Amino acid sequence: LYAWPLERFFGDFIETSSIKRIAYATSFGTDENEFTDEQLQRCSSLLSHFKAVSVREYSAVEICSKNFGVEATHVLDPTLLLSVENYIELIKNKKVSASKGSLGVYVLDENKEVNDFVKRLAIEKNLKPFSMGSKIEDGNASIIERQQPPVEQWLRAFYDAEFIVTDSFHGTLFSINFEKDFYSFYKRNSDACVLNDNDRMDELLSTFQLHNRLIKDDLSTQNTCINYEHVSPIVEELRQKSYEYIYQIILLLLT
């Protein structure tokens, strides 16, 4: 469990305060209840102080209702509230350099299986792989290699890439927002906390009818491209619903 102590994430530091509080697009990172009975009781009490609770997964709506006795609303991940044009404006204003390839690789759990897949995909599609992140967790890498790129440079990578391979939830989100062809890998890391990320990846891709872009055990590639004429309307519908939710919550806070 990487969120510790749990009570901090439920606002125990302002428990006795009269401050109005809301939760937007929160996530449990899993579709299962991982709380002890004591934690459920304590966190349920803290959540009762919130004016409104919203979550980014449909499964989390059920978790909130069943385990915390709280009615939660499903909303879009905050990174998708901005359109791709908003992100492109950030890139242009910063004037970051172009990426050094055409096959963007944003992989957090790097392993031989993923590396071999990237090499094969690059040959099949005649693309040049380039890293979209850094080796921040690699103790053997140099200081330069472990430095994270500026956010604008990271965004530029999504803009430049013709194709993206990722195992990141937000890497997948930005691939969709930039309307890129992509594959998302299930994480194989032995850390249970990391494995839970697969649950929300499953739901995310199902929501946008892109579950066929998820790589679990079958490492074969597809010849078809993603048809964003079907995906983009889903994104826009959820975006508008989320805007409306935020508007209603602002009115609630002002009353």
Side-chain angles (χ1 to χ4, degrees):
L1 193 62
Y2 55 86
W4 191 261
L6 278 172
E7 292 77 12
R8 296 289 185 272
F9 294 83
F10 289 80
D12 70 339
F13 49 90
I14 53 171
E15 183 175 7
T16 59
S17 171
S18 61
I19 295 175
K20 296 178 181 179
R21 63 208 76 171
I22 66 170
Y24 181 82
T26 52
S27 175
F28 292 102
T30 177
D31 57 7
E32 298 179 359
N33 171 39
E34 297 184 334
F35 291 71
T36 66
D37 290 342
E38 182 180 352
Q39 288 170 338
L40 284 175
Q41 183 176 1
R42 175 66 175 138
C43 293
S44 295
S45 175
L46 292 169
L47 271 182
S48 68
H49 295 293
F50 280 68
K51 288 284 187 180
V53 175
S54 61
V55 291
R56 70 183 73 166
E57 289 99 29
Y58 290 105
S59 59
V61 174
E62 183 178 354
I63 291 176
C64 285
S65 175
K66 181 178 179 181
N67 297 299
F68 297 97
V70 172
E71 182 179 348
T73 302
H74 175 265
V75 292
L76 202 59
D77 185 278
T79 61
L80 284 180
L81 292 181
L82 294 177
S83 69
V84 67
E85 288 77 19
N86 297 132
Y87 289 116
I88 291 174
E89 185 176 354
L90 288 175
I91 296 170
K92 291 182 177 179
N93 288 342
K94 193 67 175 180
K95 297 181 180 178
V96 293
S97 58
S99 304
K100 299 178 180 179
S102 51
L103 174 57
V105 182
Y106 186 58
V107 176
L108 306 181
D109 178 26
E110 188 174 345
N111 55 67
K112 185 178 184 302
E113 182 179 60
V114 175
N115 290 339
D116 289 344
F117 180 87
V118 169
K119 291 176 182 177
R120 177 160 53 87
L121 185 66
I123 294 173
E124 289 179 3
K125 298 189 175 296
N126 193 29
L127 299 173
K128 180 182 178 182
F130 72 98
S131 175
M132 302 171 68
S134 73
K135 298 182 178 181
I136 191 170
E137 296 184 359
D138 185 354
N140 297 318
S142 67
I143 295 296
I144 298 297
E145 291 178 311
R146 297 181 70 181
Q147 289 179 352
Q148 291 281 36
V151 172
E152 295 85 358
Q153 187 69 59
W154 186 74
L155 291 170
R156 176 67 190 260
F158 285 94
Y159 178 76
D160 290 336
E162 295 181 30
F163 209 108
I164 293 170
V165 174
T166 184
D167 64 354
S168 160
F169 177 79
H170 284 100
T172 302
L173 279 174
F174 277 95
S175 298
I176 293 171
N177 207 1
F178 278 80
E179 297 191 354
K180 300 294 180 176
D181 269 314
F182 69 90
Y183 287 116
S184 293
F185 265 82
Y186 247 35
K187 287 189 176 70
R188 266 68 167 180
N189 195 302
S190 59
D191 187 335
C193 297
V194 175
L195 282 174
N196 288 339
D197 198 46
N198 292 333
D199 294 333
R200 59 178 186 166
M201 186 79 82
D202 262 324
E203 185 171 312
L204 168 67
L205 292 174
S206 294
T207 298
F208 296 118
Q209 299 178 14
L210 290 170
H211 208 267
N212 63 331
R213 312 309 289 194
L214 183 61
I215 302 293
K216 294 183 181 180
D217 300 314
D218 183 5
L219 301 182
S220 60
T221 57
Q222 305 174 33
N223 292 324
T224 57
C225 298
I226 296 174
N227 185 351
Y228 276 99
E229 289 186 2
H230 297 307
V231 178
S232 297
I234 302 174
V235 175
E236 188 58 31
E237 180 183 0
L238 290 174
R239 183 177 285 150
Q240 293 305 318
K241 287 182 178 179
S242 299
Y243 285 157
E244 179 62 24
Y245 174 82
I246 293 172
Y247 176 72
Q248 294 297 331
I249 293 305
I250 291 174
L251 292 180
L252 177 64
L253 294 176
L254 292 176
T255 59

